[in-house]
Amino acid sequence: MHLNLTRSQRAFQARVRKFVDENHPPEIRAKVESGLKLGRAETIAWQKKLHAAGLYAPAWPKQWGGPALKPIERYVLDRELALNSTPALVPFGVTMVGPVIYTFGSQAQKDRFLPRILNSDDWWCQGYSEPGSGSDLASLKTRAVREGDHYVVNGQKTWTTLAQYADWIFCLVRTDPAAKQQEGITFLLIDMKTPGVTVRPIVTMDGGAEINDVFLDNVKVPVENRVGEENQGWTYAKFLLVNERFGTAQVGRSQRQMLRLKQIAQSEIVGGRKLEEDENFRLKLAKTEIELLALEYTELRYLAQLDAGKQPGAEANILKIRGTQMQQNLSELLMEAVGYYANPSLPKALEHGWNEEPIGPAYAASLAPAYFNWRKSSIYGGSNEIQRNILSKFVLGL
Amino acid sequence: MHLNLTRSQRAFQARVRKFVDENHPPEIRAKVESGLKLGRAETIAWQKKLHAAGLYAPAWPKQWGGPALKPIERYVLDRELALNSTPALVPFGVTMVGPVIYTFGSQAQKDRFLPRILNSDDWWCQGYSEPGSGSDLASLKTRAVREGDHYVVNGQKTWTTLAQYADWIFCLVRTDPAAKQQEGITFLLIDMKTPGVTVRPIVTMDGGAEINDVFLDNVKVPVENRVGEENQGWTYAKFLLVNERFGTAQVGRSQRQMLRLKQIAQSEIVGGRKLEEDENFRLKLAKTEIELLALEYTELRYLAQLDAGKQPGAEANILKIRGTQMQQNLSELLMEAVGYYANPSLPKALEHGWNEEPIGPAYAASLAPAYFNWRKSSIYGGSNEIQRNILSKFVLGL
Amino acid sequence: MDLSLSEEQQLLKDQVERFAREAYAFETRRRVLRSEAGFEPAHWKQFAELGWLGVAFAEADGGLGGGPVETGIIMEAFGRGLVLEPFLPNVVLGGGALALAGDDAQKKALLPDLIAGKTKLALAYAERQSRYDLADCLTQAAADGGGFVVSGHKAVVYGGNLADHFVVVARTKGNQRAKTGLSLFLVPRTAKGLTVRGYRTVDGLGAADLALDKVRVEKSAVLGPLDGGLALLERVVDHGIAAICSEAVGAMAVLTDMTVQYSKTRKQFGRPIGGFQVLQHRMVDMTIAVEEARSMALYGTLHLDERNAKTRKRALSATKVQIGRSARLVGQEAVQIHGGMGMTDELAVGHYFKRLTMIDVAFGNADWHQRRFADLS
Amino acid sequence: MDLSLSEEQQLLKDQVERFAREAYAFETRRRVLRSEAGFEPAHWKQFAELGWLGVAFAEADGGLGGGPVETGIIMEAFGRGLVLEPFLPNVVLGGGALALAGDDAQKKALLPDLIAGKTKLALAYAERQSRYDLADCLTQAAADGGGFVVSGHKAVVYGGNLADHFVVVARTKGNQRAKTGLSLFLVPRTAKGLTVRGYRTVDGLGAADLALDKVRVEKSAVLGPLDGGLALLERVVDHGIAAICSEAVGAMAVLTDMTVQYSKTRKQFGRPIGGFQVLQHRMVDMTIAVEEARSMALYGTLHLDERNAKTRKRALSATKVQIGRSARLVGQEAVQIHGGMGMTDELAVGHYFKRLTMIDVAFGNADWHQRRFADLS
């Protein structure tokens, strides 16, 4: 047993580092480091670069154009990208609906959608949650009625992240209201330009507007855009959720935030000394670093099991819980680190192109909004309460 | 509004202090301070002294021989006694069954039992829990069948504290197995010398044997020893539980433990300095002291409401939860304070009359067993989970 | 011990709570929030008319002769409504400093107008490098003829965006963190060399950073003892702590209640989420946190008049720690139990959460005061 | 990265786990616990015969050439069974010190007998005032002719009640807490001037306090570098940390499983208590705590051979912190969920709880190692 990367893993790491060095412009790096928002174009440009280097869609099998990286390699990739403050990837196409399409979709769907996802030609968003169905996803009410070659869809989706940019939405809809909750659901792909689709931004408490309501009013969806069988959508939805949860630990991102926290602690002063020398802060930092190590090595242990061919079980749920707690803790420590300068509200300072004098240190402006915003992470993707319910039922047998 | 004691409260406090000064022998004080066990005789002697001074049974009305102290006075009394390391009082007679008897008992019972409780002539114990009914008290199975002037009782009680010393036990028994759980229960007073009563000590993980199983095998109990009505025992039991919970915060005792912790922190060394100067310890101590202040002033706020004639509601449950957490935290800090010397197991060092050389500091021997033992406090008297259930239902309406 | 309210205090409480309930319905508040000023001048006028701006001041100063308990009553009710008007910076901080240390001329010049709602004050003490350390001060006031010339930077001055006069802490002696050598100065907003950069804060209130570039003030502008301002500043800030702790208690009580009510109506898996034991117990823990915060807010408030400064400071630190811990638990759980709805700007829960978060930051967070408490023990 | 066991390692694991399961049923363990010696000599003989006492030693020393991973496998299984035999003090601490630093003569004199189960060792390093600080040492070894005279007191020597030979840390130079000037000495139990006060510990194991009154040892008794013993001691103790962390993982895994099983059978309010969501979520948190402890025990074990001492120490401190936090949560929740039954000596749960509690104390508790980690960061 040993913890070192193998020779081939080291070579892969070097390849990623070289790619980042050559392709990641300093101005984008600076923006990501400071927690500023990126535009649609910046994100897409980065995704295209990754794809050109064979580093996009890391889990996708070769037959669908992916590099089919092994779990540990994906971990190395994610960590390098995060540690270098590269733009966050939009997961809805590449991580979520892509695998559903290549696993359950028709040949026509694969041919039509997969290349465009890989090439970031289509921006996808997710139509799962509804106003009445949050944690209880299967209670969704959006109705799809078959009329000839089409489904006619009526209902409302909500919390739809980045729907304002999206070309397509994948939706869970109810096709058999008489069946048991989980048995009457169908998985549809809907063109956002279809008449009857309306997007309304939801302003969140941090002042952002990344999430949306999506209203579906007599939206006609060709039957060919149904994935798999009618009324079997729940199976595909669960497949997707497990995929999604594995990424949610975001260890690399948290490691990057930890570095940022240490940098800020070198600038901030408390009791006449640097914050980094403050005994209480040092102990809190040590506590958090150790928790992050435990998260990292738990993920690595699981990835090693996946590499050895074991099927994933409870692991994804555990990583979701602890990973999001870590993100929240770090966002809180970062906000605490700047003392009074957590107060000023400068929404424009988070936008592209703002170049007025900051109030207090430039790094402070994004920290309170980020803390507010990260409260979402224990709610979305199956709240941490739901994760515990799942673990209790399926792992402990309770 | 102000926090100072009134003149009459100050006078009462002075009276208690004088009493303690004159009546509390140094050797008993030393034993209690060190967490050593007291014998039956030492406890009874102290209770008798208190009674002689009119400071025993503080809540009892004057007509039954009590001093009918007001809530804040009772608080002052408890705190002075605890801070002076006086012997713990045995609550089963004076705090538990006594009020049940003077509230619900017959005249004959009042005349017979109350004076003997006040004078500590009878030692009482509590027959509530059974092996199958812990938190779910109402599911108790001990059966009492009426036969002429007697009930014949069969069953088993457990976790019966200090039953080995007891003259009497008050028991909840089932008299109507057909009725709904809480409606077939009767409250009986049973002489421990009755044939068929057997006490078996239960060794706890700290090595102590303060709790017992009590087996009841065809025990004949005169009907005159039934409190109140047949099948109405649950009412009296609940009345008793609310009374009991109010005392469980034990703020005075925790304040005394806090002082002890500070004393130990002056002797113990860490990293070449006194433990009391260690930054991390100081912050943990500050945290605990502030929590203890919050508990103290929450209790005082409630007592002021009682003084003003308000009926108690959620308060007792809150004090039970936070009071026991505080006791457990302090027992943990005390154990931590002695480092390696938490290890040696010297059960005899906790007994009366041991005078060998201690291993490590003399104050260390009791600390790990005390930590182990105090885990009970969040379990007994209605576990803290039950307390939260009660608060959720009756206060939040959930 | 007497923890009961007098009849007048109970009337005041009822009155302010009614205002918070009726005038501060969530939609009204959103409108005020969106307004340019960020507060409602009509409300401020009403506060003056009802005597709320003067209730805690001595009768000799034109007030109603109340004190910390009255301030606590108002702040708790304002916390219930998340009231946006700058009561704390004006009445507790700026006005508080004047009431505690002003000479007759200074008081007369400002307190009647403050109480009448005609002028606004703010207290400028923190600096970029000082964090929560009240003695840490780089702003210099150099004696110059009969007056002083003040230069430096003041950070996150609560209510500074609206203030007509500032109480500015500056160093007249000693090095950056010396405990002696601080003095307080009254500086009008219009003073030459003073630049006020006002802004809104993330909790919807307002503040300002001040740049002082050779601002000249007369000797009569010195508030309280020259070189001995730290003790005064500490006392004023302790009043601020008690006041926002009361505010926090009001906010937490409403937020907990709001969460319990939401849990009774929001259904998931066929039943109200309030039926799930895990959420029940967490709401119980929120309730306990509010109860303990309430006890400690009272404890702090009733220690403000304590003569021994060390005892007072220790008590206020304990209060601030408790409020910080309680507010964190209550705020975070409230958002979590509200789920996605808790994240939106459209529901009150996020607004309470943000204010509670910034209350922890104000005057030193829980960690800071835990250490101050330890140092004073 | 390779986190898989070799075939031999898997066989060892199966074998030791079978022993813990079969030979260490709770009633058997209670019998051993009540015995005078506090361990079962027949088990010790069996360990020797099966090669467990030698598996981690080099083949040249008479061992099987394994290392920390093998030790971790054995300790985890021993944790599952709460095994009472003194494997840690003998093989990991005393034997570990000899293997790392002994010269040929020293090794030959003791290791073969240790591996054969014929002699027992213990490491005496802590002192009354030292707490967890390995450099803090008042025991003096004064050069005297060709040898040394050792005087002082050694505290809570794990396995010291049974040991035939002690590795004693004493100061040959420098003041009480100097980082240089420590030396290790081999001292037989029969040495003149050595008084061993053996006792049982609260977790059912054994230890001793040693009084050394002018104990004379020859120069050949010096183990490792004269005056340079601290680095060696730190390394041995880091091995001890990894070993008990593995033990803790085994104990926590069993305790969690035991709690889950108990919750399925214990009924209250007409249903198994495992049906209550609050307890379910807490058992999930216990499970997560065990998973994280397992990851960190592995992390620590695989850092023992790290050449950079600072990196190694930091890793082992992180491990110890995680195990302390996990063990506290798992132990306390297990007792609580078992209710009254969890408090009794008659159920295994309390025994696991006590051992886990003392594992936190061993070699420095979580707080201590949190600071060491910070200091090494």
Side-chain angles (χ1 to χ4, degrees), chain B residues 28-50:
Chain B
I28 300 286
R29 180 188 290 260
K31 272 193 197 179
V32 175
E33 271 177 4
S34 311
L36 307 191
K37 290 172 191 162
L38 295 183
R40 185 182 196 272
E42 289 166 320
T43 300
I44 289 180
W46 175 246
Q47 292 182 173
K48 281 179 182 284
K49 281 184 191 174
L50 274 170

Short mmCIF file of all heavy atoms in Angstrom, two decimals, chain B residues 28-50:
data_model
loop_
_atom_site.label_atom_id
_atom_site.label_comp_id
_atom_site.label_asym_id
_atom_site.label_seq_id
_atom_site.Cartn_x
_atom_site.Cartn_y
_atom_site.Cartn_z
N ILE B 28 -15.99 16.02 55.51
CA ILE B 28 -17.06 15.73 54.53
C ILE B 28 -16.89 16.64 53.32
O ILE B 28 -17.00 16.21 52.17
CB ILE B 28 -18.45 15.96 55.16
CG1 ILE B 28 -18.67 15.06 56.37
CG2 ILE B 28 -19.54 15.75 54.13
CD1 ILE B 28 -18.92 13.61 56.05
N ARG B 29 -16.58 17.90 53.57
CA ARG B 29 -16.34 18.83 52.48
C ARG B 29 -15.23 18.30 51.56
O ARG B 29 -15.37 18.27 50.33
CB ARG B 29 -15.94 20.20 53.03
CG ARG B 29 -15.67 21.24 51.95
CD ARG B 29 -15.07 22.52 52.54
NE ARG B 29 -16.03 23.27 53.34
CZ ARG B 29 -16.71 24.33 52.91
NH1 ARG B 29 -16.53 24.79 51.67
NH2 ARG B 29 -17.54 24.95 53.70
N ALA B 30 -14.15 17.82 52.18
CA ALA B 30 -13.03 17.33 51.38
C ALA B 30 -13.45 16.13 50.53
O ALA B 30 -13.09 16.02 49.36
CB ALA B 30 -11.88 16.95 52.30
N LYS B 31 -14.22 15.26 51.13
CA LYS B 31 -14.68 14.08 50.38
C LYS B 31 -15.54 14.47 49.19
O LYS B 31 -15.37 13.97 48.08
CB LYS B 31 -15.54 13.19 51.30
CG LYS B 31 -14.77 12.18 52.10
CD LYS B 31 -15.80 11.20 52.68
CE LYS B 31 -15.18 10.41 53.81
NZ LYS B 31 -16.17 9.49 54.41
N VAL B 32 -16.49 15.37 49.42
CA VAL B 32 -17.39 15.77 48.34
C VAL B 32 -16.59 16.48 47.25
O VAL B 32 -16.79 16.25 46.06
CB VAL B 32 -18.53 16.66 48.87
CG1 VAL B 32 -19.39 17.18 47.72
CG2 VAL B 32 -19.39 15.87 49.86
N GLU B 33 -15.66 17.33 47.68
CA GLU B 33 -14.84 18.04 46.69
C GLU B 33 -14.07 17.08 45.80
O GLU B 33 -13.89 17.32 44.61
CB GLU B 33 -13.84 18.95 47.41
CG GLU B 33 -14.41 20.33 47.66
CD GLU B 33 -13.47 21.25 48.43
OE1 GLU B 33 -12.33 20.84 48.72
OE2 GLU B 33 -13.91 22.37 48.74
N SER B 34 -13.61 15.98 46.38
CA SER B 34 -12.81 15.04 45.61
C SER B 34 -13.65 14.01 44.88
O SER B 34 -13.11 13.11 44.23
CB SER B 34 -11.83 14.30 46.53
OG SER B 34 -11.14 15.21 47.33
N GLY B 35 -14.97 14.10 44.99
CA GLY B 35 -15.81 13.16 44.27
C GLY B 35 -15.83 11.78 44.90
O GLY B 35 -16.15 10.80 44.23
N LEU B 36 -15.48 11.67 46.19
CA LEU B 36 -15.53 10.36 46.84
C LEU B 36 -16.96 10.03 47.25
O LEU B 36 -17.82 10.90 47.35
CB LEU B 36 -14.61 10.34 48.08
CG LEU B 36 -13.17 10.79 47.84
CD1 LEU B 36 -12.31 10.48 49.06
CD2 LEU B 36 -12.60 10.12 46.61
N LYS B 37 -17.18 8.74 47.46
CA LYS B 37 -18.54 8.30 47.80
C LYS B 37 -18.82 8.53 49.28
O LYS B 37 -17.95 8.31 50.12
CB LYS B 37 -18.70 6.83 47.47
CG LYS B 37 -18.71 6.56 45.99
CD LYS B 37 -18.67 5.07 45.70
CE LYS B 37 -18.42 4.85 44.21
NZ LYS B 37 -17.96 3.49 43.93
N LEU B 38 -20.05 8.93 49.59
CA LEU B 38 -20.45 9.06 50.99
C LEU B 38 -21.29 7.85 51.37
O LEU B 38 -21.98 7.27 50.52
CB LEU B 38 -21.28 10.33 51.19
CG LEU B 38 -20.55 11.65 50.95
CD1 LEU B 38 -21.48 12.81 51.26
CD2 LEU B 38 -19.29 11.74 51.80
N GLY B 39 -21.23 7.50 52.62
CA GLY B 39 -22.06 6.41 53.09
C GLY B 39 -23.48 6.89 53.39
O GLY B 39 -23.76 8.09 53.43
N ARG B 40 -24.37 5.90 53.64
CA ARG B 40 -25.76 6.19 53.95
C ARG B 40 -25.86 7.11 55.18
O ARG B 40 -26.59 8.09 55.19
CB ARG B 40 -26.47 4.86 54.23
CG ARG B 40 -27.95 4.93 54.45
CD ARG B 40 -28.48 3.51 54.77
NE ARG B 40 -29.92 3.42 54.64
CZ ARG B 40 -30.80 3.69 55.62
NH1 ARG B 40 -30.34 4.10 56.80
NH2 ARG B 40 -32.09 3.56 55.42
N ALA B 41 -25.08 6.78 56.18
CA ALA B 41 -25.17 7.51 57.45
C ALA B 41 -24.77 8.98 57.28
O ALA B 41 -25.38 9.88 57.84
CB ALA B 41 -24.29 6.84 58.50
N GLU B 42 -23.73 9.21 56.49
CA GLU B 42 -23.26 10.59 56.30
C GLU B 42 -24.33 11.43 55.60
O GLU B 42 -24.56 12.60 55.95
CB GLU B 42 -21.96 10.59 55.49
CG GLU B 42 -20.77 10.06 56.29
CD GLU B 42 -19.57 9.73 55.43
OE1 GLU B 42 -19.76 9.19 54.31
OE2 GLU B 42 -18.44 10.00 55.87
N THR B 43 -24.97 10.84 54.62
CA THR B 43 -26.02 11.56 53.91
C THR B 43 -27.19 11.87 54.84
O THR B 43 -27.70 13.00 54.87
CB THR B 43 -26.50 10.72 52.71
OG1 THR B 43 -25.39 10.49 51.84
CG2 THR B 43 -27.60 11.42 51.95
N ILE B 44 -27.60 10.86 55.61
CA ILE B 44 -28.75 11.07 56.48
C ILE B 44 -28.44 12.11 57.56
O ILE B 44 -29.27 12.97 57.87
CB ILE B 44 -29.19 9.73 57.11
CG1 ILE B 44 -29.82 8.87 56.00
CG2 ILE B 44 -30.14 9.94 58.27
CD1 ILE B 44 -30.29 7.52 56.46
N ALA B 45 -27.24 12.05 58.10
CA ALA B 45 -26.86 13.02 59.13
C ALA B 45 -26.98 14.44 58.60
O ALA B 45 -27.50 15.35 59.28
CB ALA B 45 -25.43 12.75 59.59
N TRP B 46 -26.52 14.65 57.39
CA TRP B 46 -26.59 15.98 56.78
C TRP B 46 -28.03 16.42 56.55
O TRP B 46 -28.41 17.55 56.84
CB TRP B 46 -25.78 16.00 55.49
CG TRP B 46 -25.87 17.28 54.73
CD1 TRP B 46 -26.43 17.48 53.52
CD2 TRP B 46 -25.39 18.57 55.16
NE1 TRP B 46 -26.34 18.80 53.14
CE2 TRP B 46 -25.71 19.49 54.14
CE3 TRP B 46 -24.74 19.02 56.31
CZ2 TRP B 46 -25.38 20.84 54.22
CZ3 TRP B 46 -24.42 20.38 56.39
CH2 TRP B 46 -24.74 21.27 55.36
N GLN B 47 -28.85 15.50 56.05
CA GLN B 47 -30.25 15.84 55.80
C GLN B 47 -30.96 16.21 57.10
O GLN B 47 -31.79 17.13 57.13
CB GLN B 47 -30.97 14.67 55.10
CG GLN B 47 -30.46 14.46 53.68
CD GLN B 47 -31.15 13.34 52.90
OE1 GLN B 47 -30.91 13.18 51.73
NE2 GLN B 47 -32.00 12.57 53.55
N LYS B 48 -30.63 15.52 58.15
CA LYS B 48 -31.26 15.82 59.44
C LYS B 48 -30.85 17.21 59.93
O LYS B 48 -31.66 17.96 60.48
CB LYS B 48 -30.89 14.76 60.49
CG LYS B 48 -31.71 13.46 60.34
CD LYS B 48 -31.29 12.43 61.40
CE LYS B 48 -32.04 11.12 61.25
NZ LYS B 48 -33.43 11.15 61.75
N LYS B 49 -29.57 17.54 59.74
CA LYS B 49 -29.13 18.88 60.13
C LYS B 49 -29.88 19.95 59.35
O LYS B 49 -30.31 20.96 59.91
CB LYS B 49 -27.63 19.04 59.84
CG LYS B 49 -26.72 18.39 60.88
CD LYS B 49 -25.27 18.71 60.51
CE LYS B 49 -24.27 17.90 61.31
NZ LYS B 49 -22.90 18.13 60.84
N LEU B 50 -30.00 19.73 58.08
CA LEU B 50 -30.72 20.70 57.25
C LEU B 50 -32.16 20.85 57.75
O LEU B 50 -32.69 21.96 57.84
CB LEU B 50 -30.76 20.23 55.79
CG LEU B 50 -29.57 20.58 54.90
CD1 LEU B 50 -29.68 19.82 53.58
CD2 LEU B 50 -29.50 22.08 54.61
#
